[in-house]
Amino acid sequence: MTHHPAATILIGALNRGYGKNMNEMTTQKSLKKPGSKTRLPAGGKAAVKLKEHIVEIISDSGEGAQKCGQSLGAIAAQMGNGIWTTEIIPAEIRPPARSVAGASGNRIRIGSGYITNGGDETDLVVAFNEQVLLGRVRAKELKPGCIILLEDMWRTHADPKIVASYIETHDKLVAAGYKVYEIPMERECRTMVADARRGKNMYALGMLCYIYSLELKLAVDQIILAFGKKDQSVVDSNIMLLEAGQKWAAANLDFCYSIPAVRSTEPQLVVNGNTALALGVLASGMEICAMYPITPATSASHYLSEVFEKVGGMVHQAEDEIAACAFAIGASYASKCTVTITSGPGYSLKQEAIGLAVMGEIPLVVVNVQRGGPSTGQPTKMEQGDLMAAIFGSHGDAPKVVMAPGTIEECFYAIITARKIAETFNMVVVVLTDAGLATSQQPFPRPVFNESWMAPPVDQSPVPEGAKPYDWDENTGLARRFIPGQPGGMHTLTGLAHDRDSHVAYDAEINEQTLRFRSLKLAALQKTLKAPPVFGAPKGDLLVVGWGSTKGAIEEAVETMRAEGHKVSSMHLQFLQPLAPGIKEIMQGFKKVMTIESNWSDRPEDKIIDESNRRYSSMAILLRSRFLIDIDCWSEVKGQPIKPGTIRRVILQKLKK
Amino acid sequence: MNMMSDMKSATTCLLEMCDEHFELEDYQSGVPRWCTGCGDNAILAAVQRLCRDESLRPEKTVFVSGIGCSSRFPHYMKTYGFHGIHGRALPVAEGVKMARPDLDVFVNTGDGDCCSIGAAHWIHAIRYNMNLTVFLHDNQIYGLTKKQASPTSPIGTKSNTTPHGSYLEALNPLTVTLGVQNVSFVAQAADWIPEVLFDIVKAAYHHKGLSFVRIIQRCPEWLPKSLDPWMHDPNKVLLLNHANGLQPSAGLSRVYKNQLEHDPLNMDRAREIASNTDIIPVGILYNNPDVPCYEDLRHSDKLRTPDLTRAGLNAELDKYTVWPQGAEQKVA
């Protein structure tokens, strides 16, 4: 990661990254001269058809690039394009203006077909200043030679240092082969509004609508949706800027694209993973969410705070993570299953309380939106580092269910399933998502509410005479829980070892029996699971196994490689504890098996790493120990979703070995 | 709907409730394993008496505790109980109350549980002011882990972790509690004055909001003589009385002559009285029935039906739906 805004780093990055292309690539594209004869007049240029494009809009925080990107994604989705949008978030709320680490914005992959991930490098970027752009260059997020639409106001800025920095960066980007278009966004906006900072994003949106041949009416609808509540003048001025941006682009740019799309015949929902989680909570019939603010989980609770009360629910912001978990446990114990939403450090803090829920057999859903770890790590970055903590967390043997949705859509349904499992088995269900899913958007079929998603009413009927609070079934370990209010069911739930009457068990024998019952419940659940589907042929040279947010990227890589004749397939696990039946048989159909994950694994090429000390990535460890199959792994922990192009390279390499 | 039979069953139910009569045995469960002379026994007796006198329905009553000697309390009640983890009794109880305001929820916590490992929750529980009755069993020592100094141990207390005497002044749970915004009920009892202990337990139960009762109790095992100066000299106890507080009986007043009329609405005076540690004030220091309860502020009166959820969910989904061409707006 880059934290130093020194220009020397830029030079280094350029040399390392794209310097090779310097001589091959075109130099700066000049703006089309008015009246040029080689092109059709405004709006009439022949659009170059593309299968897909990746677009970024980046600015300082608070300049509206996020909104511009989200709108672009929504418009493309309405046109029928496949989209995947990813937020570009600085770690600070208000990083200094024009800072390299301060890029805020959105990245939108627009395609003709269904898009399942953020894709590889960016094809076109709109940048409100050159410094935020540098951050993206250094992160190697931009495709060599990509189109850059750069705000040009800095060239004539009053501060000579800014002017120098702008010119230096600009020239280097041009020299490195990027197609840089300097755009007078500020100047053009200032002819219409006093403060261009508010509204420049809509001007940019207008340009992008022209560039990608998107219907301007849909963009107008977006503006009305966003500003409709404010006064009409705000809506009008934003529409004016939007139209001006489109007109300017049509008159001045020498390129124009279209990404053919087919409108879906079914209504599609466009939300990010955290919103999908919150909607899942709403739909699951849970009534209480207890949480403590933590990035990147909090936006799920923000949204839930806004909507939960409309259906009689409540979000409790507790004094700390432990209290949030304990509050959720108390509410679950006395009523319906509840949920607590957190991220890595918060998940660590909850461990003792989770163990209590396991011991007391209290249903509980715990959502962990993973971020970079350990410790405070990288709060806004994507990582899959908490799988082991989720499965083995809390001291002693604390069996719990661990699920990981692989898509935005699965975020929604996973919560409903988790609630159901938690209440059926009286277990803790951990749902692992990550910062990637949390902030990405992808359309999926609009869910149709089903009453069976909801928790049944709280049982308040008298408990039959002689019934015991932990009457474990010999085969499944299941017991029906007694809920306060049920006459005859009085007992004291305890975190101590206890017998069927919930009496404290000092006897080691009873303790062992109850460990067995709690463990059997996982096996009972496992018996109800189906083997995960194989993406690609059921037999072949290589099976790639993944879990969580890497699903789209892995499957895209596998699909393109299969089209090229490689015998590679993939399998994505939604249940990580217990592992579904049939996994071993699937793996046995392949000559090689490897996992691709976003958590640490030792690099075999490191000098002192060999088979006796190599630490495998999390799921590889799980699969190796469970199935005694020599499963390899490849992992990357760069805080960004793994790109399909990277996975392709990894697979090729593995096939060659 | 069969309204008649519903009404009939409701009436029968009411009649049954009026008929219901509880004995002490209806709340007793097992034989307490506390040491002979332990103050916990006195608290248990007072609470069981309260349950009987108030005819609390055992299935609608929950005792929540943390970890420690005092936290074994729920095991000795024939009600619902929740014996959780160290320091977290309050947030668990808050969750119970939030989900089920119809239940009577009590909390039993010790000086280590409440004032040390769970101190953050203590502060915030006062601020939430949920309708809970909280008993701080304060014996100024860790008992279950075998004699370590607690935050309320008097300075100089010799223990296994402070063999040369504890180093710090004791924390005063009363002044801490009285310093937190939204505090609504604070009382202090002593295990060796059972009559007042019961009266306080009763007043605490009837208070709407979080009632915080610190009970100074003896630990015959680890600090056998530490409270003797106060036990043996009734004048070292200051009985608080007021028309809006407790009114000690004539018999009690003959023994405890050191009394003070204190209006429990007078916060400044309450803090002053609470600051005195040479003389133990016993009675209701503060009682303000008008502080709002968190569960009332947050509780929804919406009837949660599948239709309500369906409507709420669909309204949200509408905001993020991209409709197919020609099929704009609402699905049924």
Side-chain angles (χ1 to χ4, degrees), chain A residues 283-285 416-417 419-420 423-424 448-456, chain B residues 306 310:
Chain A
S284 74
I416 297 165
T417 309
R419 200 280 302 154
K420 216 171 250 190
E423 269 181 332
T424 308
V448 180
F449 176 72
N450 187 326
E451 275 186 32
S452 73
W453 291 350
M454 291 187 67
Chain B
R310 181 198 313 273

Side-chain angles (χ1 to χ4, degrees), chain B residues 254-272:
Chain B
R254 273 197 293 278
V255 182
Y256 293 98
K257 295 198 175 72
N258 189 8
Q259 294 199 13
L260 178 74
E261 190 181 13
H262 165 64
D263 180 354
L265 268 171
N266 189 340
M267 171 69 90
D268 291 340
R269 192 82 183 96
R271 286 176 176 160
E272 208 176 302

Side-chain angles (χ1 to χ4, degrees), chain B residues 172-195:
Chain B
N172 182 336
L174 296 179
T175 53
V176 171
T177 306
L178 286 166
V180 179
Q181 198 69 34
N182 282 351
V183 60
S184 70
F185 184 103
V186 179
Q188 179 155 273
D191 75 47
W192 62 90
I193 318 175
E195 185 183 328

Side-chain angles (χ1 to χ4, degrees), chain A residues 98-111:
Chain A
R98 295 173 41 78
S99 68
V100 176
S104 165
N106 222 305
R107 186 173 189 275
I108 309 102
R109 184 182 184 197
I110 307 174

Side-chain angles (χ1 to χ4, degrees), chain A residues 74 77-78 215 225 263-271 275 279 282-283 285-288 303 306-320 322-323 326-336 352-353 356 362 412 446-447 449 451 453-454 458 460 463 482-496 502-504 506, chain B residues 26 29 33 57-65 67 72-86 88 90-100 102-103 117 120-122 124-125 128 130 294 298-328 330-331:
Chain A
Q78 275 175 308
E215 280 174 34
L225 193 72
R263 275 213 179 198
S264 167
T265 53
E266 297 297 321
Q268 301 283 311
L269 200 66
V270 186
V271 293
T275 304
L279 288 168
L282 207 73
M286 288 193 277
E287 294 174 6
I288 290 177
Y303 177 59
E306 197 182 305
V307 300
F308 213 5
E309 286 177 22
K310 293 179 191 165
V311 297
M314 68 94 75
V315 175
H316 171 62
Q317 180 181 328
E319 60 271 25
D320 59 40
I322 297 171
F327 189 101
I329 287 171
S332 261
Y333 155 77
S335 181
K336 295 176 187 173
E352 190 194 8
L356 170 65
I362 302 164
F412 175 81
R446 176 183 160 125
F449 176 72
E451 275 186 32
W453 291 350
M454 291 187 67
V458 178
Q460 292 289 277
V463 164
F482 298 169
I483 298 169
Q486 284 192 275
M490 289 81 74
H491 69 285
T492 290
L493 181 145
T494 176
L496 284 162
S502 196
H503 291 156
V504 177
Y506 297 97
Chain B
D26 293 317
S29 172
R33 296 196 181 196
R57 300 184 62 84
E59 74 272 15
K60 299 279 266 181
T61 308
V62 185
F63 284 83
V64 181
S65 67
I67 293 295
R72 292 298 180 104
F73 196 99
H75 288 283
Y76 309 132
M77 296 296 301
K78 209 186 280 174
T79 61
Y80 279 89
F82 193 109
H83 177 206
I85 45 177
H86 203 16
R88 322 301 168 197
L90 285 165
V92 168
E94 288 154 12
V96 173
K97 192 68 186 178
M98 190 68 232
R100 295 290 303 276
D102 59 311
L103 301 175
I117 193 170
H121 310 311
W122 168 31
H124 290 276
Y128 297 136
M130 298 184 79
Y294 183 69
R298 300 300 317 274
H299 202 263
S300 174
D301 40 15
K302 287 196 167 73
L303 194 62
R304 282 192 63 116
T305 61
D307 284 341
L308 181 71
T309 299
R310 181 198 313 273
L313 180 69
N314 280 335
E316 287 311 307
L317 296 182
D318 282 348
K319 291 184 192 166
Y320 305 106
T321 299
V322 174
W323 297 94
Q325 245 157 356
E328 302 282 319
K330 306 265 157 153
V331 279

Side-chain angles (χ1 to χ4, degrees), chain A residues 41-325:
Chain A
K45 281 167 213 152
V48 176
K49 270 192 193 160
L50 299 174
K51 198 165 154 263
E52 64 156 86
H53 231 216
I54 300 175
V55 190
E56 278 187 23
I57 303 108
I58 47 170
S59 67
D60 285 341
S61 260
E63 288 188 315
Q66 292 271 5
K67 180 76 217 153
C68 175
Q70 281 162 7
S71 300
L72 179 67
I75 296 162
Q78 275 175 308
M79 296 281 294
N81 287 113
I83 60 153
W84 183 280
T85 73
T86 311
E87 286 174 28
I88 299 163
I89 318 163
E92 296 166 75
I93 296 291
R94 285 271 172 184
R98 295 173 41 78
S99 68
V100 176
S104 165
N106 222 305
R107 186 173 189 275
I108 309 102
R109 184 182 184 197
I110 307 174
S112 280
Y114 191 58
I115 299 282
T116 62
N117 65 89
D120 295 311
E121 292 129 333
T122 299
D123 297 290
L124 182 146
V125 52
V126 181
F128 287 13
N129 69 61
E130 85 289 353
Q131 292 296 318
V132 292
L133 186 60
L134 276 183
R136 303 299 293 164
V137 172
R138 288 182 197 162
K140 297 185 183 151
E141 289 290 351
L142 308 186
K143 191 175 276 181
C146 98
I147 298 169
I148 295 171
L149 305 179
L150 181 59
E151 166 63 68
D152 76 351
M153 64 184 279
W154 313 105
R155 194 177 271 284
T156 52
H157 198 270
D159 183 345
K161 272 191 209 151
I162 288 179
V163 173
S165 144
Y166 176 83
I167 291 173
E168 187 193 359
T169 307
H170 170 270
D171 292 352
K172 287 208 170 98
L173 289 169
V174 170
Y178 295 105
K179 296 180 197 120
V180 184
Y181 292 78
E182 296 187 73
I183 314 282
M185 284 185 262
E186 176 84 8
R187 200 172 352 127
E188 291 291 328
C189 290
R190 287 289 288 277
T191 63
M192 292 166 276
V193 291
D195 181 7
R197 269 179 69 89
R198 310 241 173 270
K200 196 192 279 184
N201 58 343
M202 288 300 116
Y203 188 85
L205 183 64
M207 294 198 309
L208 291 165
C209 283
Y210 165 76
I211 293 170
Y212 292 104
S213 314
L214 300 170
E215 280 174 34
L216 204 67
K217 185 196 165 291
L218 296 176
V220 171
D221 291 346
Q222 284 293 315
I223 290 175
I224 293 168
L225 193 72
F227 302 106
K229 286 178 204 158
K230 298 184 184 171
D231 64 283
Q232 189 60 35
S233 66
V234 178
V235 173
D236 290 344
S237 101
N238 276 289
I239 292 174
M240 183 168 66
L241 290 163
L242 175 86
E243 288 171 345
Q246 190 207 32
K247 275 195 195 114
W248 189 93
N252 295 289
L253 294 179
D254 59 357
F255 62 92
C256 172
Y257 302 123
S258 80
I259 304 170
V262 186
R263 275 213 179 198
S264 167
T265 53
E266 297 297 321
Q268 301 283 311
L269 200 66
V270 186
V271 293
N272 69 25
N274 272 0
T275 304
L277 284 175
L279 288 168
V281 172
L282 207 73
S284 74
M286 288 193 277
E287 294 174 6
I288 290 177
C289 166
M291 52 73 68
Y292 181 80
I294 187 164
T295 303
T298 317
S299 68
S301 305
H302 287 177
Y303 177 59
L304 206 52
S305 300
E306 197 182 305
V307 300
F308 213 5
E309 286 177 22
K310 293 179 191 165
V311 297
M314 68 94 75
V315 175
H316 171 62
Q317 180 181 328
E319 60 271 25
D320 59 40
E321 293 280 2
I322 297 171
C325 199

